[in-house]
């Protein structure tokens, strides 16, 4: 069974870069597509983008100017970088497996809290 685990700093200062890594076990990141999703406190989920099995990236238009995905196939990991963060970026961040049409999200990680504060 595929399992995902988010990791990275829980506190980021405004204007800095938020960096998170998703480690995948029980499956290869080169065979399926993957996504980052976030949930600010008291709000709904926001799709941040997707990374395909062959390394192509797709970003939410509202975030794409600040968002970058990358991957390390040797470690079976993919990463998120979000630049110039503000307190509005405070959220629980999740990585998840996604279908090829980006319709369904499954095999979610447990999520990691990231707070943007000085």
């Amino acid at each position: 069974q595929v399992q995902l685990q988010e990791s990275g700093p829980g506190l980021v200062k405004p204007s800095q870069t938020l960096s998170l890594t998703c480690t995948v076990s029980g499956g290869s990141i080169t065979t399926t597509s993957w996504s980052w999703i976030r949930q600010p406190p008291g709000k709904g989920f926001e799709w941040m983008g997707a990374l395909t099995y062959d390394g192509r990236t797709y970003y939410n238009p509202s975030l794409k100017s600040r968002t970058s995905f990358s991957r390390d196939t040797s470690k079976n990991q993919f990463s998120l970088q979000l630049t110039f963060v503000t307190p509005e970026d405070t959220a629980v961040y999740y990585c998840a497996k996604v279908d090829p049409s980006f319709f369904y999200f499954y095999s979610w990680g447990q999520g990691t809290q990231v707070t943007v504060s000085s």
Side-chain angles (χ1 to χ4, degrees):
Q1 187 173 9
V2 173
Q3 298 205 66
L4 297 84
Q5 177 67 61
E6 304 90 346
S7 61
L11 181 64
V12 184
K13 296 184 182 299
S15 81
Q16 294 187 336
T17 297
L18 182 159
S19 297
L20 296 174
T21 296
C22 182
T23 300
V24 178
S25 61
S28 174
I29 64 171
T30 64
T31 60
T32 55
S33 297
W34 312 88
S35 286
W36 288 99
I37 307 98
R38 69 179 185 179
Q39 184 178 37
K43 299 182 180 179
F45 293 99
E46 180 180 32
W47 178 71
M48 301 186 70
L51 183 149
T52 69
Y53 71 97
D54 58 351
R56 290 175 292 161
T57 56
Y58 300 86
Y59 302 113
N60 184 329
S62 69
L63 296 170
K64 65 180 181 180
S65 66
R66 299 192 292 131
T67 307
S68 179
F69 299 158
S70 61
R71 67 177 188 170
D72 186 337
T73 57
S74 68
K75 296 181 179 180
N76 214 37
Q77 296 177 329
F78 61 98
S79 299
L80 160 70
Q81 290 192 315
L82 184 67
T83 63
F84 299 102
V85 298
T86 73
E88 291 187 350
D89 293 311
T90 294
V92 177
Y93 285 75
Y94 300 89
C95 55
K97 191 177 181 180
V98 65
D99 80 292
S101 297
F102 305 159
F103 281 178
Y104 308 106
F105 302 85
Y106 50 100
S107 298
W108 293 53
Q110 66 180 16
T112 186
Q113 172 71 44
V114 179
T115 299
V116 179
S117 177
S118 60

